[in-house]
Amino acid sequence: MAYRARVRAPELVGKGGWLNTGGKDLSLADFRGKIVVLDFWTFCCINCLHVLDELRELEEKHRDTVVIVGVHSPKFVHEADHQAVVDATARYEVHHPVLDDPELVTWKQYAVRAWPTLVVVDPEGYVVAQHAGEGHAHAIARLVEELETEHTAKGTLRRGDSPYVPAEPAAGDLRFPGKAVRLPDGHYLVADSGHHSLVELAEDGETVLRRIGDGERGLVDGAAPRFSEPQGLALVPDGLGLGYDVVVADTVNHALRGVRLADGTVTTLAGTGRQWWQGSATEGPAREVDLSSPWDVAWFDGRVWIAMAGVHQLWAFDPAGGTVGVTAGTTNEGLVDGPAAEAWFAQPSGLAVSADGERLWVADAETSAVRWVSRETLTVHTAVGTGLFDFGHRDGAAGQALLQHPLGVSVLPDGSVAVSDTYNHALRRFDPATGEVTTLATDLREPSGAVVVDGDIVVVESARHRLTRLRLPEEAVRVESVAHRTRRAATEVAPGRLLLDVVFSAPSGQKLDERYGPSTRLLVSSTPPELLVSGAGADSALSRELELSAEVTEGVLHVSAMAASCDDDPEIEYPACHVHQQDWGVPVTLTPGGADRLPLVLAGME
């Protein structure tokens, strides 16, 4: 990697202040002598959560020389709320300082264009590398080792003296619970995500009867199981003789687990524990196929359907055949309806089946949408929502109604759908019969799922660490309408020719390996489709000339890039290869005099 460019790192500024520092405000001067990795993240972003997990090993191995600093840069309005950032830092076990930058000041200073982005600053305060997306941990680890050697020799490396101060953990039986199901005996089984376990509660929704899992992260089966941030739960029909009663979306383990309620025994049903990457198998024996952050599960049309948030798709697990595979979505992130194989989703995170079994309802979080899949035709439809950058709290006709990052859907007795409207702290209702959206309840702290019980609804209040039982109201709550767009500024580009350049430099000691064909891939599309006159589609080159329509004033360029780099030492018989990938949704405004080149950094320096 060419990382010797000398660019002075801008100051770290954020109106929300610092977390995980014991109340101390920090500046770049406090990190002088350390290798600093700036992680620009936002807690709605599944790719950002993947990167948090990727960095854990680096953080532990180089704790004496490296400081990771999370720069929280919000997409949604809720993510600009300081308490929400405090909650997210605890929820995702972030063990390094976090700068809360609600106005994107530092994001703009570092010219960041995507979540997540990693920027490496050397011990003398210079930016030496930038990476967008996932799969860069190995490259940063190699760079860190080189910087340690270089700055030890120069006498500019300072060891020890970490600025990280852990926050006091909150006590309680539940910690950021994800979703819940009601068991046949009236009890509740709750995915206790923050405690990496499942909890069975009595009918009161409070009394703990037993815990499945010991509270430590892990992928362990048997009578003493371990999970890693489990989320979704689904009961399997009686009489199938499967040996388990509940299927669990074990999110950070990238796996499905089966639980036998009689004795709490856990079995891994699908997934390898490894995260799915472009080029991995998309179907096959369930225990041999990689998954990516399964967030919810539902029994639909004879199979367990999976909201595969990590790759913006729906998958399905067939217990009878022991197989798993894609059922809907292309891995492109966005809102596109149509045949299942052509539809686009954006972090599907909640599933529910209509009473007649004909519709699978989907909470599509990043498009702030409610979608549904037809069992008969396998087509995808949108009930509420318009796209990646429009969100808010607006009731009324579904075509103009707004949600904000919903994580759950539940079917009500009258056939309407209750929506856990997570970032609006509300329970909403969509009625397919009237096409209307209303608000059922407010003042719910990050609701992530709900269960209908005897005419009431039990809501999982994730950020209040509890289940809350509500009487379904006869009349909706009146809420003042608000509409938002993402705080991220649009890029001004000129109509006509636009050169798209994805910048990629292979990590030190590696190269792009073309022995078995192209090792790079670039996929480009747009919303609306009319924005791109030419240049859409897939190719192997990371640079492409686009033509933008003069008839469209604004839109979004969707860019997906992948590069595979391998060890460059001819003495290595079996070189290790690594995949780097990122998806960008770049809002653009077309204006005369705008830019005619759009650089996007995948890895390296622009």
Side-chain angles (χ1 to χ4, degrees):
M1 174 181 294
Y3 65 84
R4 289 294 184 258
R6 301 283 283 178
V7 178
R8 176 63 70 179
E11 187 53 86
L12 303 176
V13 179
K15 187 176 180 180
W18 289 85
L19 306 177
N20 286 351
T21 63
K24 181 181 178 181
D25 288 336
L26 301 176
S27 69
L28 269 177
D30 295 301
F31 301 116
R32 189 61 57 85
K34 294 287 191 179
I35 301 164
V36 180
V37 179
L38 303 177
D39 176 14
F40 289 86
W41 70 298
T42 188
F43 62 80
C44 72
C45 162
I46 191 67
N47 310 94
C48 299
L49 304 186
H50 290 167
V51 167
L52 282 175
D53 290 320
E54 286 181 9
L55 292 176
R56 293 187 197 279
E57 182 179 350
L58 175 76
E59 188 169 35
E60 184 58 36
K61 183 177 180 181
H62 297 275
R63 188 172 295 279
D64 195 41
T65 58
V66 172
V67 177
I68 295 174
V69 175
V71 183
H72 190 268
S73 313
K75 170 187 173 181
F76 290 97
V77 168
H78 169 60
E79 293 173 311
D81 173 41
H82 182 70
Q83 184 57 48
V85 182
V86 173
D87 289 342
T89 300
R91 179 194 297 267
Y92 298 116
E93 299 180 4
V94 178
H95 294 163
H96 50 250
V98 173
L99 175 64
D100 181 10
D101 182 20
E103 296 175 346
L104 301 181
V105 174
T106 298
W107 163 288
K108 294 171 185 174
Q109 286 296 308
Y110 280 82
V112 175
R113 291 183 179 273
W115 298 277
T117 291
L118 299 169
V119 176
V120 181
V121 179
D122 74 11
E124 296 178 287
Y126 290 94
V127 174
V128 293
Q130 181 171 328
H131 306 261
E134 303 179 50
H136 302 295
H138 72 285
I140 293 176
R142 178 72 67 91
L143 176 55
V144 163
E145 290 171 357
E146 294 179 0
L147 290 171
E148 285 177 340
T149 300
E150 176 184 340
H151 288 275
T152 296
K154 292 175 67 175
T156 50
L157 185 69
R158 177 167 56 91
R159 296 181 178 271
D161 190 28
S162 170
Y164 168 63
V165 179
E168 287 293 323
D173 293 325
L174 300 178
R175 179 175 168 81
F176 301 108
K179 300 184 188 294
V181 292
R182 197 180 191 207
L183 302 178
D185 60 5
H187 298 165
Y188 298 93
L189 190 66
V190 182
D192 191 9
S193 307
H195 286 139
H196 311 296
S197 59
L198 310 179
V199 173
E200 184 176 347
L201 301 179
E203 291 183 73
D204 61 7
E206 298 179 3
T207 305
V208 174
L209 301 177
R210 66 169 164 168
R211 183 175 294 275
I212 302 173
D214 65 4
E216 297 293 327
R217 287 183 188 270
L219 181 54
V220 179
D221 286 342
R226 286 184 170 179
F227 302 87
S228 188
E229 296 181 35
Q231 292 287 341
L233 306 167
L235 292 171
V236 300
D238 292 334
L240 297 182
L242 298 175
Y244 51 89
D245 309 288
V246 177
V247 176
V248 182
D250 195 7
T251 304
V252 177
N253 276 328
H254 309 296
L256 297 190
R257 317 289 293 282
V259 179
R260 187 167 63 208
L261 293 173
D263 58 7
T265 298
V266 173
T267 305
T268 298
L269 306 176
T272 62
R274 298 184 301 270
Q275 183 184 337
W276 187 94
W277 291 96
Q278 289 287 351
S280 302
T282 56
E283 62 180 357
R287 291 292 302 272
E288 299 175 15
V289 176
D290 299 337
L291 309 182
S292 183
S293 297
W295 208 275
D296 201 8
V297 281
W299 186 270
F300 178 60
D301 196 24
R303 294 180 291 173
V304 177
W305 282 57
I306 310 162
M308 201 72 77
V311 286
H312 316 301
Q313 291 179 310
L314 304 181
W315 288 43
F317 165 64
D318 179 5
T323 58
V324 69
V326 178
T327 52
T330 65
T331 75
N332 291 327
E333 183 180 17
L335 193 153
V336 176
D337 289 339
E342 301 172 11
W344 292 19
F345 296 91
Q347 285 181 219
S349 301
L351 301 174
V353 181
S354 62
D356 61 7
E358 292 300 314
R359 289 187 180 186
L360 178 69
W361 293 99
V362 182
D364 204 26
E366 277 293 289
T367 53
S368 298
V370 173
R371 321 278 295 279
W372 57 277
V373 180
S374 164
R375 184 192 66 82
E376 183 177 0
T377 63
L378 273 185
T379 53
V380 178
H381 309 262
T382 297
V384 185
T386 58
L388 284 167
F389 301 109
D390 298 294
F391 52 90
H393 192 142
R394 182 192 289 153
D395 289 330
Q400 57 84 53
L402 295 172
L403 310 169
Q404 188 179 181
H405 200 79
L407 291 180
V409 280
S410 309
V411 174
L412 299 177
D414 65 357
S416 63
V417 179
V419 183
S420 295
D421 193 6
T422 309
Y423 287 3
N424 279 328
H425 308 299
L427 188 68
R428 312 286 292 284
R429 175 178 179 263
F430 167 66
D431 186 351
T434 64
E436 293 287 311
V437 174
T438 53
T439 297
L440 299 178
T442 57
D443 192 31
L444 298 167
R445 189 70 183 172
E446 293 191 10
S448 55
V451 182
V452 178
V453 179
D454 302 329
D456 293 346
I457 191 162
V458 176
V459 180
V460 181
E461 283 197 86
S462 189
R464 283 199 177 115
H465 317 292
R466 71 186 188 191
L467 303 190
T468 299
R469 186 161 181 156
L470 304 172
R471 179 75 63 184
L472 284 170
E474 294 183 5
E475 293 186 8
V477 179
R478 294 188 180 274
V479 176
E480 183 178 352
S481 295
V482 291
H484 303 289
R485 284 182 65 83
T486 178
R487 292 166 175 249
R488 178 184 171 189
T491 300
E492 291 189 353
V493 296
R497 178 187 176 277
L498 177 69
L499 180 62
L500 172 65
D501 272 333
V502 174
V503 178
F504 178 79
S505 298
S508 177
Q510 295 189 7
K511 66 177 181 179
L512 292 175
D513 190 343
E514 308 284 350
R515 289 177 298 173
Y516 305 106
S519 58
T520 57
R521 176 178 179 267
L522 180 64
L523 177 66
V524 181
S525 60
S526 67
T527 305
E530 296 77 25
L531 172 63
L532 273 176
V533 176
S534 64
D539 201 348
S540 59
L542 292 181
S543 182
R544 186 181 304 178
E545 187 171 301
L546 312 179
E547 184 178 352
L548 306 184
S549 172
E551 306 301 319
V552 178
T553 58
E554 64 177 11
V556 179
L557 288 174
H558 302 279
V559 181
S560 178
M562 184 275 290
S565 60
C566 302
D567 291 335
D568 193 20
D569 187 344
E571 298 300 317
I572 300 176
E573 184 176 1
Y574 300 105
C577 296
H578 302 272
V579 175
H580 316 253
Q581 68 179 43
Q582 170 65 354
D583 296 331
W584 291 269
V586 184
V588 295
T589 300
L590 277 72
T591 179
D596 60 5
R597 177 175 177 265
L598 178 62
L600 300 174
V601 177
L602 178 60
M605 294 288 289
E606 163 62 8

